[in-house]
Amino acid sequence: MEETYLLNVEGVKKKILHGGRGELPKLQDGSKFTFHFQTLKDDFERTVIDDSREAGVPMEIIVGKMFKLEIWETLLSSMRIGEVAEFWCDPIHTGMYALVSRGMRRIAEGRDPLEGQKHRCGMGNMFDYHSTGYDDLDELQRTPQPLIFIMELFRVRGDGGDGGHSGNSWHRGAQLPLLVQVEDPSAYKRDTWAMSKEEKLAAVPVLHSEGNRLVLRREFAQAAAKYQEAVICLRNLQAKEKPWEDGWLKLEGLVTPLVLNYCQCQLELGEYYEVLEHTTELLQKHNDNAKAYFKRAKAHAAVWNEREAREDFQRVAHLDPSMAAAVKKELKQLGERMRKKHVEDRKRYQGLFQSSQGL
């Protein structure tokens, strides 16, 4: 997997997922980019915010027409035809995304994207709206954050015309992008972002098995990546279900062991604070999961949180008596490590005191 960085663009990182063909397009005002995109949060689960494939039509933006999310023009200009790339963008580039997404979602719903909008600049409109009408977009407005854009570039047309191309379209004053039908994208190895529901479900056990195989080879970083990818597939599917109903719960049952496996890999890699984060999040939903408490206890012990570690180990023994022997062993090791640390700290402080006395 090739990884590059866009030159002279602060706050942007690019990773090529599938190489394109030919040279970089030569652009001029009026040139059109036609592409599919997916917008993700920069979190462990890479939560999907928008996906043009679900709308059934790709995006098209016109160079030089002051598209509200200016960084997209820069990102696309770095791509070759047929390329699939992932871009991480700092909040300095993503502040207008909520407004752009709001308009695109309204189009997909068959509504006027400019309904109720005053004829003001983008930032002015942002301050006018107390709510976009979508909870996740309201969160983005309240809390600017980095976003990840995965883009697949199909075509660049240099003349700015539609070439008689048929399909659904909408365009008004270049305030939002034109949406059109295009030819099928070039074939490439599908990443999870482009998979259908059935493909994601089929990929999960394969990724789980690959992760287990890598663990046996003690390739923990690679195994963690497999488990994480499986979780992402399931979370994407779960987002379409009502929380705590049957469909959501079935998917949650698949997610939990994958998160625990991921945390075990992170323990092996010494990423203790990441383990604390994910086990705590898991226990907020499933406060009777002994394995999650056990892994969190080990992470607490590793970063010298003695009280928290002891409390979690005791919960493990209470919830699952079969783990009592393992808990007893861990508590013994914790006690020995803490006593050793106290002795070392005492010697260090005595040395510092004696040094200060000699001055």
Side-chain angles (χ1 to χ4, degrees):
M1 183 178 290
E2 182 181 352
E3 189 163 345
T4 61
Y5 292 89
L6 290 181
L7 299 178
N8 303 318
V9 182
E10 181 182 357
V12 175
K13 298 176 185 177
K14 175 183 177 180
K15 179 161 54 179
I16 297 174
L17 305 180
H18 175 77
R21 58 184 181 274
E23 301 295 324
L24 289 174
K26 295 180 180 179
L27 303 175
Q28 56 186 353
D29 283 358
S31 296
K32 291 181 181 179
F33 293 108
T34 305
F35 61 101
H36 263 308
F37 77 95
Q38 190 178 57
T39 304
L40 313 167
K41 287 186 176 181
D42 183 21
D43 57 12
F44 167 71
E45 292 160 352
R46 290 164 63 95
T47 304
V48 177
I49 300 172
D50 289 306
D51 188 341
S52 64
R53 293 178 182 276
E54 291 192 357
V57 288
M59 285 275 301
E60 186 175 274
I61 65 174
I62 303 173
V63 174
K65 294 296 183 180
M66 297 181 67
F67 179 57
K68 285 182 178 178
L69 202 64
E70 295 179 10
I71 193 62
W72 273 16
E73 187 174 311
T74 303
L75 305 183
L76 290 162
S77 68
S78 77
M79 299 176 67
R80 294 173 170 80
I81 303 299
E83 180 178 321
V84 183
E86 175 179 310
F87 300 91
W88 178 93
C89 293
D90 186 270
I92 60 174
H93 299 298
T94 62
M96 297 300 297
Y97 184 78
L99 287 182
V100 172
S101 176
R102 173 181 181 271
M104 292 188 293
R105 292 183 187 187
R106 286 192 166 198
I107 292 169
E109 295 166 1
R111 300 164 60 191
D112 183 350
L114 300 181
E115 178 184 341
Q117 179 170 311
K118 298 179 181 180
H119 294 285
R120 297 174 58 186
C121 69
M123 287 305 295
N125 278 307
M126 179 176 286
F127 287 116
D128 280 339
Y129 292 118
H130 296 293
S131 172
T132 62
Y134 304 92
D135 290 343
D136 58 339
L137 299 184
D138 288 345
E139 178 192 349
L140 292 182
Q141 284 200 153
R142 287 192 300 268
T143 311
Q145 56 193 269
L147 294 176
I148 296 168
F149 302 111
I150 300 179
M151 295 177 164
E152 178 180 10
L153 182 61
F154 299 153
R155 186 176 62 178
V156 178
R157 294 176 65 94
D159 59 5
D162 62 16
H165 198 72
S166 62
N168 299 326
S169 65
W170 180 91
H171 188 67
R172 181 181 298 180
Q175 293 296 307
L176 285 167
L178 178 66
L179 304 181
V180 298
Q181 300 276 11
V182 297
E183 63 276 9
D184 291 336
S186 57
Y188 69 99
K189 184 178 181 298
R190 295 171 72 80
D191 207 340
T192 51
W193 77 278
M195 289 180 177
S196 66
K197 175 180 178 180
E198 292 73 20
E199 288 171 328
K200 287 175 182 174
L201 283 172
V204 168
V206 175
L207 291 165
H208 198 159
S209 178
E210 289 178 355
N212 293 347
R213 178 178 55 82
L214 289 163
V215 166
L216 291 174
R217 292 165 52 180
R218 302 192 63 79
E219 297 178 16
F220 296 113
Q222 295 87 336
K226 296 295 182 183
Y227 295 137
Q228 182 181 23
E229 189 174 357
V231 170
I232 290 167
C233 286
L234 293 170
R235 290 300 192 205
N236 288 352
L237 296 173
Q238 212 176 21
K240 299 174 177 62
E241 303 285 344
K242 290 186 178 180
W244 303 105
E245 293 195 355
D246 288 346
W248 188 94
L249 288 170
K250 288 178 181 177
L251 293 168
E252 185 69 13
L254 298 174
V255 166
T256 299
L258 288 163
V259 173
L260 290 173
N261 287 0
Y262 175 86
C263 288
Q264 183 60 41
C265 291
Q266 297 306 316
L267 282 174
E268 298 287 351
L269 294 167
E271 299 292 343
Y272 304 119
Y273 289 103
E274 186 161 0
V275 175
L276 291 175
E277 176 185 348
H278 296 304
T279 51
T280 298
E281 183 178 346
L282 186 61
L283 287 165
Q284 288 171 348
K285 297 178 184 176
H286 312 287
N287 62 4
D288 60 348
N289 192 303
K291 291 182 178 178
Y293 279 118
F294 189 77
K295 296 184 193 306
R296 189 172 74 171
K298 287 178 70 70
H300 275 309
V303 296
W304 308 105
N305 296 337
E306 181 180 12
R307 179 179 60 80
E308 292 87 348
R310 289 186 180 279
E311 289 176 354
D312 278 354
F313 279 132
Q314 289 166 1
R315 288 192 186 99
V316 173
H318 174 73
L319 289 168
D320 188 351
S322 69
M323 298 181 70
V327 167
K328 184 177 180 181
K329 179 181 177 181
E330 292 290 341
L331 286 172
K332 181 180 178 181
Q333 291 177 351
L334 175 61
E336 291 172 351
R337 289 182 67 240
M338 296 307 300
R339 281 192 292 274
K340 183 178 179 180
K341 181 176 185 295
H342 293 326
V343 170
E344 292 174 350
D345 288 346
R346 192 178 304 115
K347 289 180 179 178
R348 187 179 304 112
Y349 295 143
Q350 287 175 348
L352 290 172
F353 177 75
Q354 291 169 357
S355 297
S356 64
Q357 290 291 93
L359 293 177

